[in-house]
Amino acid sequence: MRSQSENERLYAELLVRVGVNVQKGQTLVLACPVECAEFAHRLVEEAYKAGAREVVMRWIDERVSRLTLDMADDAVFDEFPEWGKAFFNGYSKDGAAFLSIVASDPEIMKGADPKRMSRQVKARSSALEYFRNRQMSNQNSWCVGSVPSIAWARKVFPGKPDADAMALLWSSIFSAVRVTEDDPVHAWRDHQAALNKRLDFLNTKQFSELRYSNALGTELSVKLPKDHLWFGGGDPHPNGYVFVANMPTEEVFTMPHSAGANGKVVSSMPLSHNGNLINKFWFQFKDGLVVDYGAEEGLSVLKELMETDGGARRLGEVALVPHDSPISNQRILFYNTLFDENASCHFALGKAYPTCVKGGPDMSKEELAAAGANDSLVHVDFMVGSPDLSIDGVDASGAVTPVFRAGNFVI
Ligand code: ZN
Ligand code: ZN
């Protein structure tokens, strides 16, 4: 068995070389929580070893973020500073790669003013539209990964001493990202090849509709736009290399038609959204629009999300994830979207990835809308997969092909 330190080094290498795949001479913008500084130092070293021109650190401190939310002047929440714009939009324009480490306390924002939070998200998204558009159409390579923090480990393994909870979370993450394999980089290449097979099948089939059904109460039909493209396991950068935007990743995903969802969908996992939990929620769709919704927990946070803009009430992503995977087989609720979304079929409310329709990255806003791509300032994944989930694909001729049975792929 490898030591903790060696596993951490291998994981850092994996994030740098397979995840964000930093290129020789490229600038890397690295975001990391202050309490995970030791791991950030490993990432910086691995990035320079891989040939990075410069690693630009962006330290995150969510306790400061919480204090700001509670105590700063109210006008602050409708602003985004010019220097922040220059930072993100500037590095994006210069072709930098962006690696972000997330280790959030799932409830750091519990009880914070949801209106202030959504105003803050809106101001930021509007100011960074250029950066976001480039990121969502693969013009900049990017990757999100996670390492444990004490508050997060306590939430996932309640009742355990801190040191045990941290060790358990580290080893759960190492298994989920295949660091425990003999040769992690090789294991990722195999994994990517397996995902590619599914992509080929789905891209060739060109289903016009997917029909979901399970015992939780989901009975949903989702239309897919003409010339939609499925992706997964890696994103192609225009310069010809592949990066993996989420590590772990088990999903294959595309865009639904923004006017194409009909029926009811019920969540299968709690959603940790901006430091708040939303639990046991559902949406009723009519022609793509959420016409009714509810939640047993976190309804006010959900309401703020839905009211962000028109596009926040429509779907922007449909993702298929087998119930049987290195993440879901651990049967752990991570309270972290990066892991939970890769343990379960999911949708996203909000902005669609323009790459998911043929020619999308070169289309204007109007052309994308006409092609069926949803637009919004938000993109929030929520989980719907269950051990009994069935999904059928319907093609243009009306023929039905089983895609999922009992929570797993049958294609
Ligand atoms: Zn997804
Ligand atoms: Zn998503």
Side-chain angles (χ1 to χ4, degrees):
M1 237 183 67
R2 282 189 290 253
S3 68
Q4 170 72 16
S5 163
E6 179 57 7
N7 274 333
E8 283 185 35
R9 196 200 61 75
L10 278 169
Y11 182 29
E13 187 184 10
L14 204 58
L15 285 164
V16 165
R17 290 185 189 256
V18 178
V20 76
N21 195 0
V22 72
Q23 301 290 294
K24 285 206 169 41
Q26 192 178 29
T27 299
L28 178 69
V29 178
L30 174 59
C32 186
V34 284
E35 66 167 302
C36 309
E38 223 179 291
F39 191 73
H41 301 156
R42 289 185 187 278
L43 289 168
V44 172
E45 193 180 339
E46 292 301 327
Y48 281 125
K49 282 205 269 182
R53 176 179 185 270
E54 186 191 5
V55 182
V56 179
M57 266 321 291
R58 197 166 73 77
W59 293 107
I60 310 287
D61 187 333
E62 60 184 11
R63 298 199 72 81
V64 171
S65 308
R66 175 67 202 250
L67 289 165
T68 302
L69 257 175
D70 289 348
M71 300 172 81
D73 187 283
D74 195 59
V76 164
F77 302 99
D78 298 316
E79 301 165 358
F80 193 80
E82 284 303 319
W83 63 262
K85 264 197 204 178
F87 180 91
F88 286 100
N89 295 342
Y91 278 117
S92 168
K93 187 161 174 272
D94 292 345
F98 292 82
L99 175 58
S100 305
I101 300 302
V102 175
S104 288
D105 173 352
E107 300 200 63
I108 183 76
M109 297 300 171
K110 194 175 182 175
D113 181 350
K115 285 217 161 50
R116 280 190 169 204
M117 271 198 295
S118 67
R119 282 163 58 203
Q120 194 176 45
V121 170
K122 238 172 145 161
R124 183 190 158 92
S125 298
S126 309
L128 302 185
E129 195 184 5
Y130 173 84
F131 164 73
R132 249 168 62 88
N133 280 339
R134 282 185 51 98
Q135 188 180 39
M136 287 187 81
S137 49
N138 298 341
Q139 305 291 307
N140 291 99
S141 46
W142 57 285
C143 175
V144 182
S146 279
V147 294
S149 63
I150 298 260
W152 178 26
R154 281 181 191 148
K155 180 78 189 172
V156 182
F157 299 103
K160 297 259 188 240
D162 284 353
D164 294 0
M166 285 291 280
L168 281 167
L169 190 50
W170 269 117
S171 72
S172 306
I173 292 173
F174 288 149
S175 321
V177 298
R178 299 177 161 79
V179 163
T180 44
E181 306 269 342
D182 287 339
D183 179 347
V185 172
H186 194 96
W188 268 87
R189 299 295 173 226
D190 288 349
H191 175 47
Q192 287 172 307
L195 289 172
N196 279 334
K197 271 196 188 157
R198 281 192 185 127
L199 296 178
D200 287 346
F201 179 88
L202 291 163
N203 281 327
T204 309
K205 269 285 181 188
Q206 281 291 311
F207 290 125
S208 57
E209 182 187 348
L210 295 176
R211 289 180 191 153
Y212 289 66
S213 165
N214 71 10
L216 286 170
T218 292
E219 289 295 336
L220 185 73
S221 151
V222 178
K223 295 228 163 53
L224 303 180
K226 196 173 163 287
D227 292 332
H228 63 269
L229 294 169
W230 289 87
F231 285 98
D235 300 278
H237 186 275
N239 288 1
Y241 62 91
V242 171
F243 64 95
V244 179
N246 286 333
M247 212 169 230
T249 187
E250 301 291 332
E251 64 175 349
V252 296
F253 65 95
T254 188
M255 66 163 74
H257 194 290
S258 63
N262 280 288
K264 186 178 184 180
V265 65
V266 180
S267 71
S268 60
M269 282 189 202
L271 170 62
S272 175
H273 175 62
N274 291 344
N276 280 278
L277 279 185
I278 309 171
N279 202 3
K280 303 214 162 120
F281 53 100
W282 55 269
F283 303 106
Q284 184 75 43
F285 286 92
K286 174 94 177 65
D287 299 330
L289 187 71
V290 173
V291 290
D292 197 8
Y293 61 94
E296 277 185 26
E297 190 185 337
L299 185 61
S300 62
V301 182
L302 185 59
K303 188 162 179 278
E304 275 306 315
L305 168 64
M306 307 294 293
E307 287 172 2
T308 310
D309 53 24
R313 297 176 84 106
R314 292 178 187 271
L315 296 179
E317 178 189 342
V318 39
L320 305 179
V321 184
H323 193 68
D324 190 8
S325 82
I327 307 173
S328 41
N329 288 343
Q330 298 190 48
R331 300 282 176 265
I332 295 170
L333 189 60
F334 282 88
Y335 298 99
N336 176 335
T337 300
L338 183 58
F339 292 83
D340 294 333
E341 75 159 334
N342 279 300
S344 171
C345 283
H346 56 272
F347 295 106
L349 289 167
K351 189 174 172 69
Y353 288 94
T355 44
C356 290
V357 67
K358 218 179 190 169
D362 299 321
M363 288 182 187
S364 67
K365 258 189 164 172
E366 294 70 30
E367 288 169 324
L368 274 171
N374 191 32
D375 194 18
S376 169
L377 291 172
V378 294
H379 174 101
V380 179
D381 292 313
F382 64 96
M383 280 37 97
V384 302
S386 61
D388 69 329
L389 181 65
S390 281
I391 304 173
D392 284 332
V394 186
D395 65 27
S397 73
V400 176
T401 308
V403 177
F404 258 64
R405 285 293 179 270
N408 286 306
F409 275 106
V410 286
I411 57 170

